[in-house]
Amino acid sequence: MDSHERILVVDDQKNVRMLFERVLSNEGYQVECAASGGEAIDKLAKDSFDLVVTDLKMDGIDGLDLIKRAKKEKDSLPFVLISGYGTSRTAALAAKDGADVFLAKPIDINDLKTAVKKALQK
């Protein structure tokens, strides 16, 4: 697959960013990473992305706040929200705030690939 779809991966854990970047790049996506919600906001302001994959719990701007801020600028931008706090309440809040797909940690790589494809099709 040779895709021109651009994905922004946002996670404060470097090992998670590197893993997601490798997996999604191997799927043919163009991937950029941000280590924080603030860095992601900056990248979204300067560049165009087709999808954002973000962690929920981060210092400063968390995943839900990132979604809210980004959706003000580009309402159609799809999001995959990932959390180690995978309750049904969290998933409902994520959907209400604009997440297209919610994944609970630990992440199965095949679930990540499926979630990305699903979110990009919306």
Side-chain angles (χ1 to χ4, degrees), residues 9 11 15 17 30 56-57 59 63-64 66-68 80 97 102:
V9 172
D11 200 299
N15 60 334
R17 286 192 314 271
Q30 296 176 23
L56 171 62
K57 296 287 186 185
D59 288 337
L64 289 177
L66 172 60
I67 292 170
K68 288 178 197 173
V80 173
D97 287 335
F102 178 82

Side-chain angles (χ1 to χ4, degrees), residues 41-57:
I41 293 289
D42 291 344
K43 286 182 180 275
L44 288 166
K46 295 175 186 170
D47 218 338
S48 177
F49 293 91
D50 299 297
L51 173 70
V52 178
V53 176
T54 185
D55 190 21
L56 171 62
K57 296 287 186 185

